[in-house]
Amino acid sequence: MSDHQLTSTIGERMMALISELYPICRSITGDGVRRSLSILQRCIPLEVHEVPSGTAVFDWTVPSEWNIRQAYINDPDGRRIIDFEDHSLHVLNYSTPVHKKVPLQELQAHLHSLPEHPDWIPYRTSYYQKNWGFCLPDRLRESLPEGMYEVCIDSTLEPGHLTYGECFLPGTSDEEILFSSHICHPSLANDNLSGVVLAVFLARALQGKTHRYGYRFLFAPGTIGSITWLAQNQHRVQRVKHGLVIACVGDPGRLTYKKSRQGSAEIDQAAAYVLERSGEDYEIVDFSPYGYDERQYCSPGFNLAVGSLTRTPHGRFPEYHTSADNLDFIQPEALLNSLNKYQRVVDVLEKNRTFRNLNPFCEPQLGKRGLYSALGGRPDSQTRQLAMLWVLNLSDGRHSLLEIARRSEVDFQIIHDVASLLESHQLLEAV
Ligand code: ZN
């Protein structure tokens, strides 16, 4: 099988897993999350945590658990015009149970639609305010005749648990890299099944390999899930040296990196470097306290070096939070391209080191040590010689190899290779 065939298969396998997860009605709690996590458990070692409703997590409280069996609206003639079985977005997520007949006017107050996109179903939630409702295409809503409608939402909202999944792949050091994805959205493909599935494939690529960092993959409901995880792990959160929030990685748009609150942390440099060298269009934006769970990881008490690598950011594509964010909206090529970028960021972080030059008074005599001849015959030997001079000059214990690569505009891999060579000749020591 050629490389091209192999990689296209990975993109298609990512699509297949997204397709399997897509119909499930997920929320911030409940069986939809459990079912989704059990599917992920077939792919990666995943520990499932259950946190009881009512648990205090910083300023928040784990809410009651929501589950839904069925929901529908029958029109005045008894015809079923909306059925939850057709689409999980049809129900206001976290709707309280209801079963009654209501006149159209009363029903309208519980309907949500998008006049600007009359064929799409919007995604709406009401987690912290008790309410019931249905979401539907505006075209259908506009066609409803006067009369009495039977509404039924067979749901429960009771003390239970918040469920999240965690996959940890230990490294040779105690330091960790965190990858976090939100798993609370129902049938929405880009936001965020693409992120969930990218995390699974990244974990699979790292599994069984020796790596310096431990890799922690978190599959948790947005906001309350990351807050809960942070509350339960406050004592060891400082092991997280770098992190990325994974979301919206399957659309055809360009990649966007949102920096951590720190702004110039190693993760910020690594992500910027990978995008700069990609030869593709990209955007880098500063941190803002809006978006996904980077809001929690970058809250001032934690201030973790966690950024977010997405394609088109949330809210900036019209399909966002609607039924048009479906399996046709995402592409295997885009998923694979995003996965490759995450793998490159991991590669850079794994190889990035900071050294001290052990011969800092004038340049060491490289020829005498056979370091020029070590490069002889390579087509890029001049680049490598130059790279050695950059590494020797900037290795004062304060510049990482990544910083040297960006400043010298020599490829990071070459900078890494020559640093290893210089280290083996006792000209550098890692700090
Ligand atoms: Zn969302």
Side-chain angles (χ1 to χ4, degrees):
M1 192 181 269
S2 74
D3 275 1
H4 175 72
Q5 282 171 318
L6 188 68
T7 51
S8 66
T9 304
I10 291 172
E12 278 149 24
R13 280 166 51 206
M14 293 172 82
M15 277 296 292
L17 184 55
I18 291 173
S19 305
E20 186 176 356
L21 294 162
Y22 180 75
I24 300 172
C25 183
R26 282 162 292 270
S27 185
I28 52 172
T29 61
D31 290 334
V33 172
R34 291 191 189 96
R35 268 178 68 198
S36 302
L37 292 176
S38 73
I39 290 172
L40 304 190
Q41 271 178 323
R42 290 197 325 242
C43 310
I44 51 170
L46 192 68
E47 198 178 334
V48 174
H49 301 264
E50 299 276 358
V51 183
S53 302
T55 304
V57 286
F58 298 117
D59 201 38
W60 297 62
T61 305
V62 172
S64 293
E65 181 177 323
W66 185 69
N67 284 294
I68 180 162
R69 280 163 295 278
Q70 62 161 345
Y72 58 85
I73 300 178
N74 288 341
D75 75 2
D77 296 329
R79 282 180 310 206
R80 189 145 302 187
I81 54 164
I82 288 180
D83 196 332
F84 170 72
E85 276 191 19
D86 297 336
H87 210 300
S88 71
L89 293 182
H90 271 319
V91 169
L92 175 76
N93 205 283
Y94 251 65
S95 275
T96 47
V98 62
H99 191 188
K100 61 181 177 179
K101 286 203 165 187
V102 293
L104 179 62
Q105 200 189 352
E106 186 182 335
L107 177 63
Q108 287 286 7
H110 293 274
L111 297 183
H112 306 268
S113 64
L114 296 166
E116 63 276 27
H117 294 292
D119 297 313
W120 296 358
I121 308 166
Y123 164 51
R124 295 283 185 272
T125 65
S126 190
Y127 299 139
Y128 300 103
Q129 201 175 356
K130 286 191 176 171
N131 198 357
W132 62 268
F134 288 90
C135 304
L136 73 169
D138 196 64
R139 205 180 295 284
L140 173 60
R141 184 181 188 173
E142 289 295 314
S143 73
L144 299 180
E146 292 294 334
M148 296 297 287
Y149 287 78
E150 181 188 352
V151 294
C152 173
I153 297 177
D154 181 11
S155 64
T156 50
L157 188 55
E158 303 170 333
H161 294 84
L162 176 149
T163 311
Y164 69 86
E166 198 172 18
C167 164
F168 182 63
L169 307 173
T172 53
S173 76
D174 283 343
E175 298 183 332
E176 295 181 8
I177 301 181
L178 174 70
F179 290 101
S180 176
S181 60
H182 60 276
I183 197 164
C184 51
H185 287 23
S187 302
L188 295 163
N190 199 36
D191 177 23
N192 189 31
L193 291 175
S194 68
V196 169
V197 166
L198 188 147
V200 168
F201 276 72
L202 185 58
R204 281 173 65 131
L206 288 163
Q207 208 183 334
K209 295 208 174 107
T210 302
H211 31 76
R212 173 180 155 201
Y213 289 108
Y215 288 86
R216 191 172 297 279
F217 293 86
L218 199 57
F219 303 87
T223 307
I224 189 68
S226 54
I227 291 172
T228 300
W229 183 80
L230 285 163
Q232 295 195 323
N233 293 277
Q234 195 173 2
H235 57 290
R236 55 191 181 95
V237 154
Q238 291 311 322
R239 288 185 193 173
V240 174
K241 293 299 164 192
H242 324 283
L244 288 173
V245 170
I246 315 177
C248 301
V249 286
D251 67 272
R254 67 182 177 185
L255 281 150
T256 301
Y257 178 66
K258 177 181 170 181
K259 292 182 193 174
S260 73
R261 181 177 180 273
Q262 297 180 26
S264 57
E266 198 175 330
I267 184 67
D268 300 318
Q269 296 175 35
Y273 176 78
V274 167
L275 295 179
E276 283 160 12
R277 302 290 287 197
S278 68
E280 299 163 19
D281 191 19
Y282 65 90
E283 186 181 13
I284 295 178
V285 296
D286 283 329
F287 175 79
S288 59
Y290 191 68
Y292 295 111
D293 287 324
E294 64 275 13
R295 296 157 66 163
Q296 314 311 330
Y297 303 123
C298 296
S299 56
F302 291 109
N303 199 22
L304 297 178
V306 175
S308 179
L309 183 57
T310 68
R311 301 195 77 88
T312 308
H314 67 94
R316 297 237 309 259
F317 49 98
E319 296 85 354
Y320 173 74
H321 281 191
T322 77
S323 56
D325 180 359
N326 57 27
L327 299 172
D328 293 331
F329 181 59
I330 56 170
Q331 300 176 348
E333 300 76 21
L335 290 163
L336 181 63
N337 179 289
S338 303
L339 176 64
N340 288 340
K341 298 299 183 297
Y342 272 84
Q343 286 176 306
R344 287 228 57 202
V345 171
V346 163
D347 184 59
V348 168
L349 292 172
E350 281 285 330
K351 289 177 178 160
N352 193 27
R353 292 287 171 97
T354 301
F355 289 97
R356 183 179 296 109
N357 183 340
L358 297 174
N359 193 99
F361 299 103
C362 301
E363 290 174 2
Q365 198 180 345
L366 299 176
K368 182 174 83 180
R369 294 177 161 84
L371 283 163
Y372 285 133
S373 52
L375 304 176
R378 298 191 70 121
D380 59 353
S381 60
Q382 280 201 329
T383 308
R384 286 176 186 260
Q385 274 185 35
L386 184 64
M388 280 203 274
L389 298 179
W390 274 107
V391 170
L392 286 165
N393 187 281
L394 290 181
S395 288
D396 53 4
R398 296 201 304 269
H399 298 89
S400 72
L401 296 182
L402 179 57
E403 287 166 319
I404 297 171
R406 293 184 81 193
R407 180 150 163 200
S408 67
E409 297 183 4
V410 176
D411 188 80
F412 175 77
Q413 184 64 47
I414 292 177
I415 294 287
H416 170 264
D417 290 351
V418 302
S420 299
L421 185 64
L422 294 168
E423 188 184 23
S424 71
H425 282 75
Q426 286 82 47
L427 286 169
L428 295 179
E429 75 173 357
V431 297

